[in-house]
Amino acid sequence: MNNIQNKVVIITGASSGIGEAAAYKLAEQGAKLVLAARREDKLKSIANNIKAKGGEAVFRSTDVTKPEDNTALVELAKSAFGRVDAIFLNAGLMPSSPLSALETNNWNAMIDVNIKGVLNGIAAVLPTFEAQKSGHILATSSVAGLKVYPGGTVYCGTKWAVKAIMEGLRIESAQAGTNIRTATIYPAAVQSELVDHITDNSTSAGYRQLYDTYEIPAERVANVVAFALNQPEDTNISEFTIGPTAQPW
Ligand SMILES: NC(=O)c1ccc[n+]([C@@H]2O[C@H](COP(=O)([O-])OP(=O)(O)OC[C@H]3O[C@@H](n4cnc5c(N)ncnc54)[C@H](OP(=O)(O)O)[C@@H]3O)[C@@H](O)[C@H]2O)c1
């Protein structure tokens, strides 16, 4: 069964880590991709790699905190491929620290990207999905959206918000009969650039040690994205937790 073939899928945070791995995985299975992140050079090289293997991908430099950038992705999907079938709201930041460090700029950045970025993506795609009475919205929350741990308080808050928004979206869509599906993914330690952007030194050292000990390749999360997208139209698999077998929390 391949329900991914020819689906037009927008991926935010496609320039590295989980988003990049999802781009390659979905392209292999015949999806037509719209790749989004801020680093255009990275997107270009990923799109070129996909095209070199016979896949289809376009890209656009995007800041998910800007509503108009999200709308432009939907327009790009329609102009390049004629429609949009799914969006993977994956862009995120994790510059964690204890609240007492008062890294308020990082608190705001996480709220802007991890929460408002997801809402902007939903707002951009929802009118199209409602009108066509189909569409799939996937989002990357985190195990931090299921637990709270010291040093990760604000990040956890943003990822709990993603869980709540996605569950509300699922229920509202079902009640409205729009046939829109949702999937929320809760990864634990996965290889990516996420930890590189932590500025608080002791937090950074702790995370680095955890990730070096446990992390699994981003492709494992891409497998879950593909599994969710591949389900038949009448089936919504709404939540997935995925992480290293050995990670003890
Ligand atoms: N790795 C893990 O262990 C893990 C665990 C649980 C959840 N997650 C979540 O997984 C998602 C992907 O992260 P990752 O682990 O793959 O880390 P990553 O390699 O750092 O990827 C983050 C992606 O988000 C993009 N991004 C950041 N700010 C953006 C903005 N304002 N506008 C558009 N794109 C933006 C980055 O691209 P640019 O810098 O080019 O914009 C990059 O493509 C995040 O939501 C993260 O919270 C990761």
Side-chain angles (χ1 to χ4, degrees):
M1 174 175 78
N2 184 351
N3 293 318
I4 295 175
Q5 182 83 39
N6 290 326
K7 270 192 180 151
V8 178
V9 184
I10 299 169
I11 302 177
T12 71
S15 60
S16 61
I18 292 168
E20 177 181 6
Y24 287 130
K25 179 70 60 181
L26 298 181
E28 271 170 26
Q29 301 189 19
K32 300 174 181 179
L33 297 170
V34 177
L35 308 177
R38 292 165 303 177
R39 287 171 295 175
E40 195 169 6
D41 53 333
K42 291 273 211 173
L43 297 176
K44 188 175 184 181
S45 126
I46 294 164
N48 283 342
N49 291 340
I50 288 171
K51 286 189 269 187
K53 290 188 177 165
E56 290 188 68
V58 294
F59 62 91
R60 186 184 192 280
S61 174
T62 301
D63 182 344
V64 295
T65 68
K66 296 182 179 161
E68 63 275 19
D69 278 18
N70 292 266
T71 313
L73 292 175
V74 176
E75 284 162 9
L76 176 58
K78 289 178 180 175
S79 64
F81 301 124
R83 60 176 196 282
V84 52
D85 298 303
I87 187 165
F88 179 29
L89 302 168
N90 168 72
L93 299 176
M94 189 185 64
S96 293
S97 58
L99 289 174
S100 58
L102 294 180
E103 287 196 352
T104 53
N105 288 342
N106 281 335
W107 300 356
N108 285 317
M110 285 189 276
I111 289 166
D112 286 345
V113 176
N114 299 0
I115 303 179
K116 293 184 190 170
V118 165
L119 287 169
N120 288 336
I122 291 171
V125 88
L126 208 49
T128 299
F129 285 180
E130 285 173 349
Q132 69 194 19
K133 286 234 181 310
S134 74
H136 208 147
I137 300 178
L138 304 95
T140 314
S141 175
S142 169
V143 287
L146 301 170
K147 309 164 194 275
V148 177
Y149 46 86
T153 304
V154 176
Y155 181 71
C156 291
T158 66
K159 293 301 187 178
W160 280 74
V162 173
K163 174 179 171 60
I165 291 161
M166 291 296 288
E167 179 65 355
L169 176 64
R170 182 187 69 77
I171 296 168
E172 287 183 14
S173 301
Q175 286 184 348
T178 53
N179 201 32
I180 295 168
R181 292 185 283 167
T182 61
T184 313
I185 303 170
Y186 303 91
V190 172
Q191 202 167 28
S192 76
E193 297 178 8
L194 201 65
V195 174
D196 303 349
H197 304 293
I198 299 175
T199 48
D200 182 69
N201 286 339
S202 64
T203 306
S204 171
Y207 276 65
R208 193 67 274 160
Q209 192 181 19
L210 174 93
Y211 275 70
D212 286 349
T213 308
Y214 295 114
E215 68 184 10
I216 53 174
E219 190 222 354
R220 308 293 160 73
V221 183
N223 289 337
V224 170
V225 174
F227 180 76
L229 267 175
N230 197 31
Q231 297 309 305
E233 187 87 3
D234 62 0
T235 302
N236 191 70
I237 303 187
S238 58
E239 296 199 315
F240 300 89
T241 304
I242 171 170
T245 306
Q247 189 176 336
W249 57 270

